[in-house]
Amino acid sequence: MRTNRAFAVFSMVATLLLSGCDDLLDVDNPNAVTDADIRNNRSAEAWANSSLYALQDGWDGMLHAYSYLSDEITFGGSRQAWDELDRGILGNLESEAIGFAYRRLAVGSWMTGETLFVLDSLSEAGELTDSLPLARAYFYRAFMLTLVAGWMDDFAFSNRTVPGPAVGPANMGTLFDSTIQLSTVALQLSISDELRRNILAVRARAHFERAIWDRLGTLPIDVSGGGLVASAEAVQAAQSALAVDATDWRYVFEFNEGQMGSNTACDANGDCLWGRMGGRYADYGGDLVADGAALIDPIDGVPDPWLDRFILQDLADAGTNRFMDLTAFSARELYLIVAEDALARGDTADFAEAINTIRGLESLTPWSTASVVGARELLIHTRMATLFLQGHRVHDLYRFELQADNWIPTSTAVQFPGTLFPIPESEIDVNCHLNPAVECG
């Protein structure tokens, strides 16, 4: 209907023009907004809000594909591209799923970068009257670069219609360094405690994921030391964030009706009809609706409380399931960073303190060296439960030498552990830096 209506309007205008109405379109439209009209101090908050929207949509788009590749969401429909991801297949550059996720991530990447450029330029010119939108822009850009570096094997930073060259697989780790640099600048601005906490948390995540990338970023991957990583810088940033806010906080992306829905949330409870939570996480009891958590706490032998609550409360309260809050990072993730760093260094006392802080939030039995469950086993379990649908599971499967239940022996994930998402064919076809058949303008 939209196409037909547009064609009818075009035909009417063309007829009027041909009949001699030469000045029909020669009008001064007071509602016309040019690019220059929005690059000013009055639009600063709008730029920051748009950056958040694009970051959230890019996060959800790529997380949706990532969660299929992991064991968190499993395939149950007729869409081949998502079925391939569920089986660990990453080599299909024409994959609809990978292309869809990449486009959303690329839009988020451009918008966060452009927002920071605009607001930073206004600040340097002395035209920005409030530093908060600028600080938010630094935070959103820093988080976006962490996502790109963590989820992609390669990426091209294009500028609208101007294609950009690929970063290169060997250079993707430098994006974590860029996140750290951006966070350093952001922390020097006048910001609220909540924003300071969030920036420090992303800084901790960037340091920690850089340490993981150092193991997985080149093939073959390094799984020495049981796959555990240590990062003093990550711990310092994590503890600084926890010092700002010691509560059991979560940074969430809100998906509301009238704005945007989450593909990840929609598939988590089967509402989109071709996916649902994986069987390692949700107990379906022979039905299509999850009855609770299937993941059992290794010490207390009960369904994991965090995951159980997500299934029985968060998903249930969401109603349509496409519209709900999803955790991007949290205080619990920071405690996990501290716990793993300690374990990697052989410090079981600090490990126990950090992991038991998380367990105490759910009234679970504390871990000790006398427990029948090993420290590494407990760490893997806690990360699996606490970081559900937050974009970490594939990395953990690789570095802890585990496999998703649906990966097939001939898949990319099994044959080449450490492989993440490639630049899809849809980008290669139009990018002159990636395709010799395309000329750069």
Side-chain angles (χ1 to χ4, degrees):
M1 292 299 294
R2 290 180 180 176
T3 302
N4 292 339
R5 186 178 299 125
F7 180 76
V9 172
F10 172 78
S11 299
M12 179 185 71
V13 172
T15 301
L16 290 171
L17 287 174
L18 291 173
S19 64
C21 297
D22 297 332
D23 297 329
L24 179 66
L25 301 180
D26 186 15
V27 295
D28 183 12
N29 183 0
N31 296 314
V33 179
T34 67
D35 189 63
D37 290 330
I38 61 174
R39 294 173 183 267
N40 53 53
N41 179 62
R42 297 189 308 275
S43 303
E45 187 174 357
W47 275 100
N49 291 339
S50 297
S51 185
L52 171 59
Y53 182 98
L55 166 64
Q56 177 171 316
D57 188 62
W59 175 86
D60 179 66
M62 203 70 225
L63 179 65
H64 185 233
Y66 183 98
S67 301
Y68 266 100
L69 179 60
S70 75
D71 51 11
E72 295 166 299
I73 294 180
T74 188
F75 180 73
S78 58
R79 305 291 290 272
Q80 177 182 344
W82 282 269
D83 180 44
E84 289 179 347
L85 290 180
D86 194 29
R87 292 184 290 144
I89 299 171
L90 284 164
N92 180 8
L93 298 184
E94 297 181 350
S95 165
E96 175 191 5
I98 296 176
F100 180 61
Y102 184 90
R103 284 192 296 275
R104 292 173 69 182
L105 189 68
V107 170
S109 172
W110 179 84
M111 189 66 204
T112 56
E114 187 70 3
T115 296
L116 181 57
F117 171 77
V118 170
L119 298 188
D120 204 32
S121 298
L122 290 172
S123 178
E124 289 184 358
E127 299 176 12
L128 196 65
T129 58
D130 184 0
S131 64
L132 180 57
L134 178 61
R136 290 174 59 197
Y138 269 103
F139 167 53
Y140 300 147
R141 183 57 175 169
F143 191 19
M144 173 54 71
L145 290 180
T146 301
L147 301 179
V148 172
W151 290 344
M152 299 296 303
D153 271 343
D154 201 358
F155 196 79
F157 289 95
S158 298
N159 184 2
R160 287 183 282 198
T161 60
V162 180
V167 175
N171 299 320
M172 290 296 287
T174 62
L175 299 182
F176 292 119
D177 302 332
S178 296
T179 288
I180 295 163
Q181 293 168 2
L182 290 173
S183 70
T184 299
V185 177
L187 290 169
Q188 296 171 356
L189 299 172
S190 177
I191 54 179
S192 66
D193 284 347
E194 181 179 5
L195 185 53
R196 180 175 300 278
R197 177 202 74 187
N198 294 338
I199 294 170
L200 285 166
V202 167
R203 184 182 180 91
R205 178 166 171 165
H207 277 299
F208 192 73
E209 291 193 16
R210 175 63 202 247
I212 294 176
W213 187 90
D214 287 341
R215 285 179 171 271
L216 303 183
T218 57
L219 301 180
I221 62 175
D222 177 12
V223 294
S224 61
L228 300 171
V229 301
S231 171
E233 296 86 356
V235 170
Q236 181 181 23
Q239 290 176 335
S240 296
L242 293 169
V244 173
D245 186 348
T247 66
D248 185 23
W249 57 266
R250 297 186 300 154
Y251 180 82
V252 301
F253 284 131
E254 300 176 356
F255 295 91
N256 302 315
E257 286 191 77
Q259 297 177 358
M260 69 171 85
S262 165
N263 290 85
T264 307
C266 194
D267 272 351
N269 208 26
D271 195 54
C272 286
L273 303 181
W274 65 74
R276 64 179 188 173
M277 290 176 62
R280 291 176 174 175
Y281 299 84
D283 181 7
Y284 289 94
D287 198 354
L288 294 177
V289 178
D291 298 327
L295 188 64
I296 303 299
D297 183 78
I299 294 179
D300 289 340
V302 297
D304 181 84
W306 170 274
L307 196 58
D308 207 45
R309 189 165 54 253
F310 175 81
I311 295 170
L312 297 179
Q313 292 184 22
D314 294 355
L315 286 179
D317 291 346
T320 59
N321 300 316
R322 183 184 291 272
F323 306 103
M324 63 180 296
D325 295 349
L326 289 177
T327 301
F329 54 86
S330 66
R332 298 189 186 200
E333 180 180 339
L334 301 182
Y335 283 118
L336 283 168
I337 288 174
V338 175
E340 182 166 344
D341 172 83
L343 189 59
R345 294 183 290 103
D347 187 341
T348 54
D350 281 356
F351 168 80
E353 181 180 359
I355 208 74
N356 286 335
T357 298
I358 299 174
R359 294 185 64 78
L361 294 170
E362 301 293 352
S363 300
L364 294 170
T365 302
W367 177 89
S368 72
T369 53
S371 299
V372 295
V373 178
R376 180 175 178 273
E377 177 187 351
L378 182 61
L379 175 73
I380 293 173
H381 165 87
T382 309
R383 287 183 61 85
M384 182 179 178
T386 304
L387 303 181
F388 178 68
L389 293 184
Q390 294 169 43
H392 301 280
R393 178 62 174 164
V394 175
H395 294 71
D396 287 358
L397 290 170
Y398 283 149
R399 65 195 182 101
F400 296 138
E401 297 186 277
L402 305 170
Q403 290 188 15
D405 44 0
N406 288 336
W407 286 354
I408 60 175
T410 56
S411 69
T412 319
V414 173
Q415 294 293 318
F416 305 100
T419 303
L420 295 169
F421 290 94
I423 297 176
E425 191 67 36
S426 57
E427 173 70 20
I428 295 173
D429 285 344
V430 298
N431 191 319
C432 61
H433 300 285
L434 309 175
N435 187 348
V438 178
E439 292 186 6
C440 288

